[in-house]
Amino acid sequence: MRFIFIDRVTEIESGKRICGVKTFPLSEAYLKGHYSKAPLIPGSILIEAMSQITGWLVVYTYRCEIFCAISMIRNAKLPTDLRAGAMVELHGELVDTSKNWSQCRAWVKREGKEIASAERLLFPHFKEKSPDEAIQSYRDVGWIEPQWDWEVS
């Protein structure tokens, strides 16, 4: 991924739910030269953040033995006034899963209020060729913590 829209995963429960945070500083590359003095965060960035947080829940649930890519988003609601500098909470739930796909829902909160959501995100599964390397790369960015509900050697 060129842009990662999760600063930190704060909670994760395999097969159930995930929470994380993201701050949108004015220094983000996608904001340079496109906006005036009070840049707005594009809705597509929040869609990507919701996709990333729920996609990570799917990968984590399958212990990094698969990777996934978003294939469908339904019923997305996005704010029109989220400004650079905002910090948001990203939330996701695994609604259903099988060997070949997972369905999630996601929402974004700012200061305790829901500001964005997607009712249905679908992720097809693909076999990860090197789960151990994937685990290490996720540890390197802080997305796997030792206190979470499964240990990796």
Side-chain angles (χ1 to χ4, degrees):
M1 282 184 278
R2 181 171 178 199
F3 294 105
I4 297 176
F5 295 111
I6 306 167
D7 291 340
R8 185 168 40 95
V9 174
T10 56
E11 297 175 48
I12 193 166
E13 190 175 352
S14 183
K16 294 184 181 177
R17 64 184 189 82
I18 190 167
C19 298
V21 293
K22 172 64 180 162
T23 300
F24 296 100
L26 189 55
S27 61
E28 292 278 14
Y30 57 85
L31 293 174
K32 292 191 185 301
H34 293 283
Y35 300 95
S36 63
K37 295 177 185 176
L40 295 172
I41 303 304
S44 59
I45 300 297
L46 288 176
I47 291 283
E48 180 65 23
M50 288 187 285
S51 298
Q52 287 181 13
I53 198 86
T54 52
W56 172 233
L57 174 60
V58 172
V59 169
Y60 184 81
T61 295
Y62 285 88
R63 298 177 178 243
C64 298
E65 293 176 1
I66 60 112
F67 67 94
C68 61
I70 189 71
S71 68
M72 185 181 84
I73 300 165
R74 183 172 282 169
N75 297 335
K77 296 177 184 167
L78 302 166
T80 58
D81 60 350
L82 185 63
R83 300 225 177 259
M87 185 183 89
V88 298
E89 298 171 15
L90 306 166
H91 298 267
E93 290 180 343
L94 188 60
V95 175
D96 196 7
T97 191
S98 74
K99 179 183 171 189
N100 298 315
W101 61 271
S102 293
Q103 177 183 331
C104 298
R105 73 179 203 94
W107 62 99
V108 179
K109 288 185 174 183
R110 180 165 187 231
E111 297 173 353
K113 294 176 79 176
E114 187 175 299
I115 62 165
S117 64
E119 288 181 22
R120 188 174 184 196
L121 298 101
L122 287 181
F123 295 92
H125 298 175
F126 305 94
K127 184 166 178 49
E128 176 62 60
K129 291 179 183 175
S130 181
D132 290 337
E133 287 179 25
I135 288 167
Q136 189 56 53
S137 68
Y138 289 124
R139 280 182 185 250
D140 290 347
V141 295
W143 290 2
I144 295 179
E145 299 281 337
Q147 73 269 20
W148 294 345
D149 63 354
W150 59 269
E151 290 285 327
V152 186
S153 56

